[in-house]
Amino acid sequence: MDDQTRMLAGLAGLGGLSQGDVGDQDSVRKQLGQPQQDIGDILQQIMAITDESLDEAQARKHALNCHRMKPALFSVLCEIKEKTVLSIRGVQDEDPPDPQIMRLDNMLLAEGVSGPEKGGGSAAAAAAAAAAAGGSPGSDGGIEHSDYRAKLAQIRQIYHSELEKYEQACSEFTNHVMNLLREQSRTRPISPKEIERMVAIIHRKFSSIQMQLKQSTCEAVMILRSRFLDARRKRRNFNKQATEVLNEYFYSHLSNPYPSEEAKEELAKKCAITVSQVSNWFGNKRIRYKKNIGKFQEEANLYAVKTAVDAASVSAQASQANSPATPNSVYYFKRLQTLLQLC
DNA sequence: TAGCATGATTGAAT
DNA sequence: ATTCAATCATGCTA
């Protein structure tokens, strides 16, 4: 202990310590068990260093660096620093992962911007396109879809290159600071723990930059998506056969034109459209029919006749299969067909 | 090109 | 979650 005390006085005089490093005078006093007078002397010597010539200071610094007790002294000083200044600063050492950055990460992952190559993002986009794209699947949506994928890939590329730059800058800066601190640790007490803590602080600062990058990438994806959704508004009329199937169902269930989920699925299959398109169609049809029954009367008659013809056709075929058709049934069937043509 | 037709979207109501 | 009603945006046709 005596050795250390003596060295502290010498060290202070040599300018190897900053006032900050000596820091908490009470702690030092307690640690070293010296009267206040000694501390005063040390501080005076520190203050006096500015009056010394550069050569003198350098010489004394060199002498200090070569002192055999230097490592021991520095370790004591590091301990004091740990117990005082750093323990106050470094309370929130390992903070939990930021929820916002986690949200952004999840979104980027879901959109296929981050994460494994060509992952869920394009698949999700394809699913979205399939769910809401109009008309015949795979025909018109194809161009828009590939366009969307190309744009998403572009965003992905920019994101990754920026992320790489960020990581490079971060590690360069961290290395630089670490080297600096290691360098300084020769002349002032810096513990490895302190360096670690400094690295953590740097990473925290850099992560805010990373968050900005992630945020703007998310925004870009959202804009792209909204444009893509707008593009999907471009509708195509259903083909004639699909409209006929839907109308047939509608007019043959005019008293209750609300197809069940199963019926919707079957209609969707028959018309090669999605179930939600079937729902849309029935929603539109019901409201438009109700608003102007007169206008739809003709159409209603047409489909009523068509349904009758179909039914007659089925029954005629059935009776033909069982027994030879009666002249009457053939006559009515032909008349219905003529009527349908007139409509 | 105007005007109607039609599929999709949106917000409120149930 | 489904439906209604209003509305949008585009397609079709005279």
Side-chain angles (χ1 to χ4, degrees):
Chain A
M1 188 58 97
D2 276 344
D3 269 347
Q4 283 180 4
T5 316
R6 268 197 303 281
M7 219 185 84
L8 181 63
L11 173 70
L14 287 166
L17 279 173
S18 69
Q19 194 160 0
D21 288 328
V22 174
D24 186 340
Q25 294 179 13
D26 285 333
S27 305
V28 174
R29 204 183 313 131
K30 271 182 222 151
Q31 281 272 334
L32 305 178
Q34 288 296 308
Q36 196 166 357
Q37 186 58 45
D38 282 359
I39 301 296
D41 289 346
I42 294 163
L43 290 173
Q44 212 149 25
Q45 286 182 58
I46 291 169
M47 300 307 282
I49 197 164
T50 48
D51 300 331
E52 289 179 357
S53 77
L54 203 62
D55 285 346
E56 273 177 338
Q58 284 294 340
R60 293 179 80 171
K61 196 171 156 185
H62 182 70
L64 165 76
N65 281 337
C66 297
H67 199 285
R68 67 190 171 86
M69 288 305 287
K70 184 194 147 192
L73 172 71
F74 271 25
S75 90
V76 169
L77 287 171
C78 282
E79 213 176 299
I80 293 166
K81 276 177 83 177
E82 275 304 317
K83 280 182 183 160
T84 55
V85 188
L86 295 177
S87 62
I88 297 161
R89 266 193 265 155
V91 181
Q92 74 291 26
D93 245 355
E94 66 273 341
D95 42 358
D98 188 342
Q100 198 179 347
I101 214 158
M102 273 179 73
R103 246 193 341 266
L104 291 172
D105 275 340
N106 286 340
M107 188 190 157
L108 291 172
L109 206 64
E111 292 295 336
V113 176
S114 63
E117 271 294 307
K118 308 264 172 195
S122 49
S136 43
S139 58
D140 52 344
I143 299 159
E144 288 157 12
H145 184 207
S146 67
D147 198 33
Y148 175 84
R149 275 204 302 195
K151 293 258 162 55
L152 193 69
Q154 219 174 329
I155 291 173
R156 188 189 158 93
Q157 198 194 336
I158 293 166
Y159 171 75
H160 281 287
S161 83
E162 288 299 314
L163 198 67
E164 209 176 302
K165 274 187 215 164
Y166 152 85
E167 269 162 6
Q168 203 180 335
C170 183
S171 77
E172 261 175 35
F173 188 74
T174 308
N175 281 339
H176 179 72
V177 170
M178 274 170 74
N179 287 338
L180 212 65
L181 288 174
R182 280 202 200 104
E183 182 77 23
Q184 284 194 357
S185 70
R186 280 166 41 196
T187 53
R188 67 188 185 94
I190 300 171
S191 65
K193 208 171 172 185
E194 195 180 338
I195 295 177
E196 235 172 70
R197 206 165 290 150
M198 186 58 83
V199 168
I201 290 167
I202 292 166
H203 282 177
R204 220 171 294 149
K205 296 277 179 204
F206 266 87
S207 84
S208 72
I209 301 170
Q210 196 186 32
M211 185 143 85
Q212 276 176 18
L213 171 66
K214 285 180 177 175
Q215 208 154 14
S216 40
T217 308
C218 279
E219 275 166 22
V221 172
M222 292 313 284
I223 290 165
L224 179 67
R225 281 208 106 180
S226 70
R227 279 190 193 154
F228 180 65
L229 285 168
D230 281 349
R232 283 185 303 176
R233 286 177 72 104
K234 284 179 186 170
R235 63 177 185 80
R236 293 277 179 279
N237 289 349
F238 298 158
N239 61 39
K240 208 179 163 197
Q241 187 250 337
T243 315
E244 261 180 39
V245 169
L246 294 167
N247 272 317
E248 264 174 41
Y249 188 98
F250 181 80
Y251 287 110
S252 62
H253 297 77
L254 208 50
S255 57
N256 184 35
Y258 296 88
S260 65
E261 197 55 38
E262 291 79 35
K264 278 183 193 172
E265 274 168 26
E266 205 180 317
L267 286 167
K269 213 168 160 184
K270 270 189 191 169
C271 302
I273 57 177
T274 66
V275 172
S276 62
Q277 283 179 303
V278 172
S279 299
N280 284 341
W281 190 92
F282 272 88
N284 284 324
K285 191 74 185 180
R286 278 191 299 263
I287 197 78
R288 283 164 188 166
Y289 180 82
K290 199 178 88 176
K291 266 188 179 174
N292 195 349
I293 294 174
K295 197 180 89 180
F296 288 93
Q297 202 53 58
E298 205 177 310
E299 193 180 64
N301 291 339
L302 179 91
Y303 280 99
V305 171
K306 198 172 184 311
T307 310
V309 168
D310 285 347
S313 165
V314 168
S315 96
Q317 276 172 356
S319 59
Q320 217 166 20
N322 295 332
S323 62
T326 60
N328 259 359
S329 67
V330 174
Y331 170 77
Y332 283 119
F333 180 50
K334 279 189 178 166
R335 274 215 45 142
L336 279 170
Q337 275 188 320
T338 318
L339 196 62
L340 185 59
Q341 275 161 10
L342 284 173
C343 287

